[in-house]
Amino acid sequence: MPRVMLREMKKNQRGTITAVKQGGEMGRRIRDMGLVPGSEIKIQGRAPLYDPVALRVMGSVLTLRNNEADFIEVEVEEQ
Amino acid sequence: MSANIKIALAGNPNSGKTTLFNALTGARQHVGNYPGVTVEKKEGNYHLDNLTINIVDLPGTYSLTAYSEEEVVARDFLIFDKPQVIVNIIDAANLERNLYLTTQFFELGIPVVIALNMIDVARDRGIEIKADRLADFLGVPVVPIVARSGFGTQKLMEETVRVASKVKEWHPKAISYGEDIDSTLLDLAEKIEADNFLTADYPSRWIAIKYLENDQQILDKGREEDSSLSTCLEDKVADLTRHLSDTMETYPEAMVADHRYGYIKGILKKGVIAHKYDRDRLYTSDRIDKVLTNRFLGPLFMGLVLLGLYKFTFSYSELPVSWLESFFALLAQVADGLLPDGPLKSLIVSGIIGGVGGVLGFVPLIMFMFFGIAILEDSGYLARVAFMMDRIFRIFGLNGSSVMAYIVSGGIAGGCAVPGVMATRTLRSPKERMATLLTAPFMNCGAKLPVLALLIGAFFSENQAGYMFFFTLLAWSVALLVAKFLRLTILRGDATPFVLELPPYRFPTLKGLMIHTWEKTWQYIKKAGTVILGISIIIWAMMTYPGLPESEKAQFEAQRHAVEASVAEFEPLPGDTVPGAVEELQKRLVAIDREEAERGLRHSVAGRVGTALESVSQLAGFDWRTNIALIGGIAAKEVVLSTLGTAYSLGEVDPGESGSLAKTLAADPGWNPVKALSVLLFISYYAPCFVTVVCISKEAGSWKWGAFSMVFNTIFAFALAILVFQIGSLIS
């Protein structure tokens, strides 16, 4: 299964997070919200200006800015 | 006999924590601040048999790191105030993520009782949770509740009391974070224990974990306590960091987080949770979002909602506001009739009743505004607004949550900066929040509007609506650009990560809305009321003292006598209509009074300051009359018109009927469109009114920020006014 950065994922696409390549505050906030390796995510949609992106993880819906999504590597399911 | 138990209520944002707190404590809550910070601290009591349970509502957090003020506050409260039990509220539909915070309570070792909230919603979503199994695996009681209906809350409190009486000591739980980390942790903890390093306050393994996590607060404390040991610990952490980075491309803190989730996943897998429906099932909330955050319909709907909020607030509050106004007018009238003429009467009527009335007059507006915002917030829509607007606001160093504060402050002309500044509380990023609350007063609030309308009507009457619209757009541009400027200078710093949760849509509860609204309104009355009373007395004194010298007063008195004497000569016969000549003379009397008021104003401290400032203010085209009005406007923007009226010998001008003032200004040789434009710009952007300054200071946590907004805004507005006046004068 191919690995892409979260930013490149399309609406309704699913995948499993494989890495969060960021430490410090941003990394911490991302992990606090349940975005850790092994978590399954699904892209819920994007804001009208294409950024931020809304995604479902662990039963809740989160939004991330694209530059934050750039640190998250996802193994996507083939469609 | 009644005993006391002290507990803390903690949990993620959107987990229903506030609802549970309201359900437990009712409306008898004490709202204050945690020492030294602006984070709100709410306390209340719950009575169980003969026990009084004191509940402290900790700020909603996802974690217990040292990154945000809320998290530090929550952590410090647990460690230094040592509540006997933490009631950890968890959204049952979102168990896995919510338990992440729980693991961090386990690391501290504080006794925990889990309130598994919204089990009804979870069940609707096909999620079945075996609470007893979860309790067994976690080793703490788990009580299913529905905070909205109160289901299970008594059992929750009984369980809490049981734990409080049974567990007296903290037992930190050693969660495994993988071999590399665990061995380093052991090593660090040993050194920490050997030296009793910070262990008076914190568990040793917990200190070690915080060193691994690079926790700024603990690192600072450690360096202060024993810098050589701290350096030794930091070196060991650095070694591990290098090792992890080389072998696994990861960080210690990431490993710790991953294993916390691993611990949770491990437990949930053991038959604790069952999903009845397929994972592709769309929840109601998702379906609503398909429309409400749709690329085209979303912004359209948002515009309607914001306009609706605005209409709701300002049209429904109009009536109660006018009641309050009439009430204070009546009060002033009564005082006017009862008290003898003199300074005391003037102080009470103009200073106290006028000042306090001005503040309390806002109260209905604040109530309606916060009621509306509470609906948007509690229903979950506010988070969608932030989501949709974020991209635009980010350009200016703000984030999507700033939009509400701007709108409320007058982004749609006619708001009020006071609730606007208070609305910035929904922003969780400190720098973005500061930039928003400092720039929100640039919007055209309802009190600035009559002044704008008057000047525009007098000098740019050919295209009034166009100019008003232009000033609204200009206000947005100025606010955003100044926000950008602040974020590049005194509020410099990277954008705070904007990881926002879009909670499922929920119907707000009336009780929640009421408590929310009342809390905010009461805070406003308390905070603004006390300070404003003092300030309005000062402003009154400045515009009253020193009074005219006796010789001048006598002159005006003599003039009046002369006129009155000539009126007496025209005594009409019964049945006669009042001859035109008498009317003429009565007008003369009024004119003399007004002239005296003008002279008096010029003679007062404010007048002298206004005159003294003329040499500087001439750069922007302001004469002493404008100066006094602008000084008065610092108390409240409404004062600008009435003071201009007095200064132009027109008597007090009612903002509703300012026609005569407009005519006077339009005909005055000292005024021209360029000056009008310069004054318009200055009024739009100079120092916020005092109520706003008080709110800024309270919200920012320091009077320095209030003072900053006065000085900075005034300098900025003045520079803008000079620029326009000088260039405008050159061209015309």
Side-chain angles (χ1 to χ4, degrees):
Chain A
M1 282 191 281
R3 286 187 181 187
V4 300
M5 297 320 277
L6 199 151
R7 183 204 274 261
E8 293 142 31
M9 288 177 72
K10 292 177 190 63
K11 195 174 169 180
N12 292 325
Q13 198 175 13
R14 299 175 164 283
T16 306
I17 295 178
T18 49
V20 177
K21 299 180 173 171
Q22 176 71 358
E25 179 174 8
M26 190 175 297
R28 181 77 53 88
R29 290 208 185 219
I30 290 173
R31 282 186 276 271
D32 282 354
M33 305 297 281
L35 298 169
V36 287
S39 291
E40 286 179 24
I41 59 165
K42 178 191 165 198
I43 303 295
Q44 196 91 352
R46 286 176 194 272
L49 292 169
Y50 211 65
D51 184 14
V53 55
L55 52 95
R56 172 174 289 282
V57 60
M58 292 186 186
S60 61
V61 181
L62 305 179
T63 79
L64 278 181
R65 289 175 173 174
N66 275 340
N67 60 355
E68 291 153 2
D70 274 342
F71 298 113
I72 301 175
E73 189 190 70
V74 186
E75 196 172 77
V76 293
E77 296 175 11
E78 306 285 357
Q79 286 192 316
Chain B
M1 200 202 94
S2 87
N4 280 309
I5 293 183
K6 189 167 77 173
I7 66 166
L9 182 60
N12 283 187
N14 305 311
S15 58
K17 197 165 60 65
T18 307
T19 314
L20 177 60
F21 184 70
N22 289 341
L24 290 173
T25 62
R28 300 171 305 279
Q29 303 175 355
H30 174 79
V31 185
N33 276 359
Y34 287 94
V37 291
T38 50
V39 180
E40 223 169 60
K41 180 185 184 184
K42 289 203 255 176
E43 275 182 84
N45 290 326
Y46 181 85
H47 299 281
L48 187 75
D49 304 328
N50 56 358
L51 284 172
T52 301
I53 304 174
N54 180 244
I55 308 173
V56 173
D57 186 26
L58 295 183
T61 61
Y62 295 106
S63 178
L64 281 187
T65 56
Y67 280 119
S68 77
E69 221 171 40
E70 283 88 358
E71 292 175 7
V72 174
V73 158
R75 196 163 96 176
D76 284 350
F77 181 81
L78 297 180
I79 287 160
F80 297 108
D81 286 57
K82 293 224 183 320
Q84 285 159 277
V85 179
I86 289 188
V87 172
N88 179 197
I89 181 164
I90 281 179
D91 174 3
N94 200 351
L95 189 58
E96 197 173 342
R97 219 266 325 278
N98 277 243
L99 283 172
Y100 186 69
L101 181 65
T102 316
T103 60
Q104 298 179 56
F105 295 142
F106 288 172
E107 287 166 359
L108 262 180
I110 185 166
V112 173
V113 172
I114 289 178
L116 194 61
N117 190 27
M118 296 187 272
I119 45 161
D120 52 340
V121 177
R123 208 168 286 146
D124 288 345
R125 291 186 164 201
I127 302 168
E128 205 61 53
I129 298 166
K130 301 228 167 20
D132 46 343
R133 282 186 80 94
L134 182 61
D136 285 346
F137 289 127
L138 292 175
V140 299
V142 176
V143 184
I145 65 163
V146 180
R148 288 172 74 116
S149 68
F151 169 81
T153 48
Q154 183 167 350
K155 174 133 191 285
L156 177 70
M157 286 295 104
E158 286 165 5
E159 203 59 50
T160 305
V161 170
R162 205 179 55 77
V163 171
S165 61
K166 199 180 66 180
V167 188
K168 298 287 179 201
E169 284 194 348
W170 287 23
H171 299 288
K173 191 173 223 151
I175 295 169
S176 167
Y177 308 109
E179 216 171 294
D180 287 331
I181 299 233
D182 284 352
S183 65
T184 308
L185 272 183
L186 275 180
D187 189 14
L188 297 183
E190 220 167 82
K191 292 204 160 41
I192 289 167
E193 260 165 55
D195 274 33
N196 279 329
F197 177 73
L198 298 176
T199 47
D201 294 325
Y202 306 97
S204 55
R205 186 178 158 93
W206 190 83
I207 301 170
I209 296 172
K210 293 300 137 181
Y211 262 84
L212 282 187
E213 287 185 323
N214 230 336
D215 187 287
Q216 208 51 52
Q217 189 199 21
I218 298 301
L219 281 176
D220 289 346
K221 284 193 181 182
R223 284 172 192 152
E224 203 178 301
E225 165 113 358
D226 181 347
S227 70
S228 68
L229 179 57
S230 182
T231 313
C232 165
L233 298 178
E234 284 169 54
D235 287 345
K236 284 188 181 299
V237 173
D239 287 343
L240 176 70
T241 307
R242 217 169 301 122
H243 173 71
L244 288 179
S245 153
D246 291 345
T247 55
M248 284 183 277
E249 283 185 74
T250 184
Y251 316 82
E253 55 186 277
M255 287 283 277
V256 170
D258 293 354
H259 280 85
R260 282 181 188 141
Y261 277 111
Y263 166 80
I264 298 165
K265 279 197 173 90
I267 287 175
L268 297 187
K269 264 187 205 149
K270 295 180 194 160
V272 169
I273 190 166
H275 291 267
K276 207 159 50 178
Y277 302 126
D278 164 50
R279 60 175 190 172
D280 270 325
R281 187 182 144 95
L282 277 184
Y283 303 131
T284 317
S285 201
D286 301 334
R287 281 196 216 107
I288 299 174
D289 263 339
K290 280 203 171 233
V291 181
L292 295 195
T293 60
N294 174 284
R295 178 164 275 190
F296 303 104
L297 294 178
L300 196 72
F301 184 79
M302 178 170 65
L304 288 178
V305 167
L306 295 179
L307 201 65
L309 167 76
Y310 179 82
K311 288 269 176 223
F312 166 78
T313 307
F314 291 98
S315 42
Y316 285 99
S317 65
E318 208 171 286
L319 196 63
V321 165
S322 72
W323 288 339
L324 276 178
E325 271 168 8
S326 339
F327 171 74
F328 282 105
L330 190 73
L331 208 62
Q333 221 176 4
V334 170
D336 196 44
L338 286 178
L339 295 165
D341 275 338
L344 181 70
K345 174 174 172 171
S346 169
L347 167 69
I348 289 178
V349 173
S350 312
I352 298 178
I353 299 181
V356 174
V359 173
L360 292 183
F362 277 121
V363 166
L365 193 76
I366 304 258
M367 284 180 76
F368 277 87
M369 180 63 83
F370 275 110
F371 189 80
I373 294 179
I375 294 178
L376 295 188
E377 202 176 349
D378 291 1
S379 65
Y381 188 68
L382 204 54
R384 271 77 182 177
V385 173
F387 169 61
M388 286 188 278
M389 295 302 286
D390 182 62
R391 188 69 197 91
I392 297 170
F393 278 75
R394 195 188 320 163
I395 300 169
F396 301 98
L398 305 173
N399 71 36
S401 306
S402 310
V403 69
M404 191 48 74
Y406 277 178
I407 300 260
V408 171
S409 299
I412 308 172
C416 175
V418 172
V421 165
M422 288 161 84
T424 57
R425 278 188 208 161
T426 52
L427 271 86
R428 295 180 78 86
S429 343
K431 285 194 173 123
E432 283 85 344
R433 175 164 182 258
M434 282 301 299
T436 310
L437 76 84
L438 287 174
T439 50
F442 287 132
M443 294 294 171
N444 289 325
C445 72
K448 286 181 199 164
L449 278 188
V451 193
L452 300 193
L454 171 96
L455 290 174
I456 290 172
F459 295 98
F460 309 102
S461 53
E462 72 284 358
N463 191 2
Q464 227 163 325
Y467 268 91
M468 281 309 260
F469 187 63
F470 168 73
F471 272 94
T472 305
L473 286 188
L474 195 65
W476 276 91
S477 322
V478 167
L480 287 172
L481 289 173
V482 172
K484 182 72 183 172
F485 170 75
L486 293 175
R487 290 285 281 116
L488 289 174
T489 52
I490 52 167
L491 296 171
R492 190 171 40 223
D494 289 336
T496 313
F498 189 62
V499 186
L500 180 78
E501 187 176 1
L502 300 182
Y505 288 103
R506 285 171 194 145
F507 270 109
T509 61
L510 193 61
K511 187 178 174 186
L513 294 179
M514 288 302 183
I515 290 179
H516 207 114
T517 308
W518 172 243
E519 242 171 52
K520 295 278 188 316
T521 312
W522 178 237
Q523 275 174 6
Y524 166 77
I525 296 174
K526 231 174 24 182
K527 285 175 183 169
T530 44
V531 181
I532 284 303
L533 177 61
I535 287 166
S536 56
I537 290 176
I538 293 173
I539 293 271
W540 163 83
M542 278 178 68
M543 292 175 71
T544 313
Y545 291 104
L548 284 176
E550 288 304 322
S551 60
E552 269 195 65
K553 273 191 193 167
Q555 263 178 26
F556 282 108
E557 203 53 34
Q559 283 182 30
R560 266 192 290 263
H561 274 302
V563 176
E564 274 162 9
S566 41
V567 172
E569 284 170 24
F570 278 96
E571 198 64 66
L573 293 167
D576 259 12
T577 48
V578 180
V582 173
E583 223 172 281
E584 204 50 46
L585 287 168
Q586 278 167 345
K587 273 192 195 152
R588 280 273 302 143
L589 266 183
V590 174
I592 293 168
D593 283 350
R594 287 176 176 174
E595 205 181 316
E596 187 180 359
E598 181 200 332
R599 288 286 309 143
L601 186 59
R602 182 159 196 179
H603 196 74
S604 71
V605 175
R608 288 167 199 213
V609 172
T611 314
L613 283 177
E614 231 177 21
S615 57
V616 184
S617 67
Q618 274 308 342
L619 287 173
F622 307 164
D623 62 349
W624 69 271
R625 293 183 170 93
T626 320
N627 287 349
I628 301 180
L630 294 173
I631 293 170
I634 297 178
K637 304 291 165 201
E638 289 92 337
V639 176
V640 173
L641 275 192
S642 61
T643 313
L644 263 185
T646 310
Y648 277 95
S649 300
L650 294 166
E652 297 229 340
V653 169
D654 179 12
E657 307 159 32
S658 48
S660 60
L661 182 57
K663 273 187 216 122
T664 309
L665 293 186
D668 192 292
W671 281 80
N672 55 49
V674 176
K675 176 180 172 178
L677 197 61
S678 146
V679 173
L680 273 170
L681 290 173
F682 188 78
I683 288 177
S684 297
Y685 307 122
Y686 83 119
C689 71
F690 264 125
V691 190
T692 307
V693 172
V694 172
C695 285
I696 289 178
S697 308
K698 296 283 180 185
E699 293 298 322
S702 151
W703 285 97
K704 271 187 274 175
W705 284 112
F708 171 83
S709 78
M710 292 183 72
V711 175
F712 174 81
N713 291 15
T714 305
I715 292 174
F716 170 77
F718 192 53
L720 201 64
I722 293 178
L723 192 74
V724 167
F725 185 73
Q726 295 300 339
I727 294 177
S729 301
L730 274 181
I731 295 170
S732 56

